[in-house]
């Protein structure tokens, strides 16, 4: 009986904002590894923090929520019945994420803005590469002259490992450029201070840097290189 393939092939160049930020801050050798992983993602189950991100995102969007709810959510994850060892590990790593966020939450500083769901943020195509934004929630506020300012927050988390500042700058710059590229009929303008990458391990929020526009242009150029490399990367 033939073995199940461990990898699948993504035909069209596709990358997430997270991996694009990692790509921009990496060595040439690491860049190839990142693109290989995007073209041939593993089909096996992998430990991800999807549920923890949803819990924390919903918590931050609910201005009336008490921080004790995070501890309750983490406890529920740890006590959830698992069908196998993988599920047990999955629930535990998500509980670790939520517990850690509960620790850093008292010192967390986010912009004073309305927090909205990010369920319908579309993917965009940069020089032939599909890029998925991966924001956890959107920000919106009224600036001077009642001008609407917008942005979004993306989570990054690695246990016991603070997020690299350069990687965070690239990811926040992408979020700013991403919002600049979307057509809006309400006159809203992207604001660098509202385009954030939040390190859920340290609690530090990184806004889009001053050179965000230049960084986004460099990401567009990098996507052209990725599109050209894609057909030549073989399993």
């Amino acid at each position: 009986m033939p073995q199940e393939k461990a990898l699948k092939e993504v035909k069209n160049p596709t990358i997430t904002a997270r991996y694009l930020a990692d790509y921009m801050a990496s060595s040439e050798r690491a860049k190839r590894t990142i693109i290989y992983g995007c073209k041939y993602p593993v089909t096996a189950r992998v430990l991800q923090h999807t549920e923890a991100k949803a819990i924390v995102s919903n918590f931050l969007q609910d201005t009336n929520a008490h921080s004790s709810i995070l501890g309750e959510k983490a406890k529920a994850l740890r006590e959830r019945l698992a069908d196998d060892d993988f599920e047990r590990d999955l629930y535990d790593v998500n509980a670790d994420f939520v517990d850690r966020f509960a620790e850093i939450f008292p010192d967390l500083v986010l912009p004073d803005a309305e927090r909205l769901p990010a369920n319908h943020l579309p993917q965009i195509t940069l020089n032939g590469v599909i890029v998925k934004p991966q924001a956890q929630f959107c920000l919106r506020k009224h600036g001077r002259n009642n001008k609407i300012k917008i942005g979004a927050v993306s989570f990054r988390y690695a246990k016991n490992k603070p997020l690299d500042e350069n990687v965070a700058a690239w990811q926040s710059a992408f979020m700013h450029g991403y919002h600049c590229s979307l057509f809006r009929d309400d006159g809203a303008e992207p604001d660098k201070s509202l385009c954030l990458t939040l390190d859920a391990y340290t609690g530090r929020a990184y806004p889009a840097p001053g050179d965000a526009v230049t960084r986004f242009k460099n990401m567009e150029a990098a996507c052209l290189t990725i599109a050209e490399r894609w057909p030549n990367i073989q399993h």
Side-chain angles (χ1 to χ4, degrees):
M1 187 174 181
Q3 284 188 329
E4 181 183 355
K5 291 184 178 179
L7 304 174
K8 65 179 180 180
E9 181 179 355
V10 178
K11 297 294 185 182
N12 298 317
T14 305
I15 194 169
T16 62
R18 169 186 177 148
Y19 284 128
L20 182 55
D22 289 346
Y23 179 93
M24 298 304 297
S26 294
S27 66
E28 284 303 313
R29 183 174 180 178
K31 286 178 178 179
R32 180 176 176 81
T33 301
I34 290 168
I35 299 308
Y36 180 89
C38 292
K39 184 174 181 178
Y40 298 105
V42 295
T43 58
R45 295 185 296 177
V46 293
L47 296 176
Q48 296 182 323
H49 298 105
T50 304
E51 188 166 1
K53 289 180 178 180
I55 289 171
V56 172
S57 177
N58 291 334
F59 168 75
L60 290 175
Q61 290 176 67
D62 184 356
T63 55
N64 296 317
H66 192 274
S67 58
S68 62
I69 195 174
L70 293 173
E72 294 169 5
K73 294 287 187 180
K75 184 173 182 289
L77 283 168
R78 296 192 192 281
E79 295 178 348
R80 186 182 296 176
L81 294 178
D83 292 333
D84 52 37
D85 290 342
F86 173 84
E87 279 197 350
R88 180 72 274 140
D89 290 341
L90 179 64
Y91 300 151
D92 288 343
V93 298
N94 277 268
D96 289 343
F97 181 120
V98 178
D99 275 336
R100 177 61 184 177
F101 192 83
E103 290 179 28
I104 59 92
F105 174 68
D107 297 321
L108 178 66
V109 178
L110 291 175
D112 182 13
E114 186 179 4
R115 300 169 188 175
L116 304 168
N119 301 331
H120 304 295
L121 288 180
Q123 60 192 24
I124 60 172
T125 301
L126 300 178
N127 283 326
V129 177
I130 298 169
V131 187
K132 300 177 181 180
Q134 291 187 308
Q136 268 60 60
F137 59 90
C138 296
L139 295 176
R140 181 184 177 95
K141 72 175 184 179
H142 287 85
R144 294 180 181 178
N145 301 321
N146 215 32
K147 198 76 172 180
I148 299 173
K149 302 292 185 178
I150 57 170
V153 179
S154 298
F155 294 163
R156 296 287 299 252
Y157 174 81
K159 190 174 182 179
N160 299 324
K161 186 178 179 182
L163 177 62
D164 181 274
E165 293 186 18
N166 190 33
V167 172
W170 281 110
Q171 191 159 343
S172 296
F174 170 82
M175 190 55 63
H176 178 262
Y178 167 83
H179 276 89
C180 288
S181 70
L182 297 180
F183 171 77
R184 302 187 62 90
D185 57 9
D186 59 0
E189 296 178 351
D191 189 304
K192 292 185 179 72
S193 68
L194 300 182
C195 297
L196 302 165
T197 301
L198 174 59
D199 181 358
Y201 178 71
T202 64
R204 183 173 175 182
Y206 297 87
D211 63 346
V213 173
T214 298
R215 284 179 182 257
F216 189 75
K217 289 179 179 178
N218 288 338
M219 282 186 274
E220 288 183 303
C223 282
L224 181 59
T225 301
I226 292 170
E228 293 171 345
R229 281 184 173 183
W230 200 268
N232 299 320
I233 296 179
Q234 301 299 319
H235 173 37

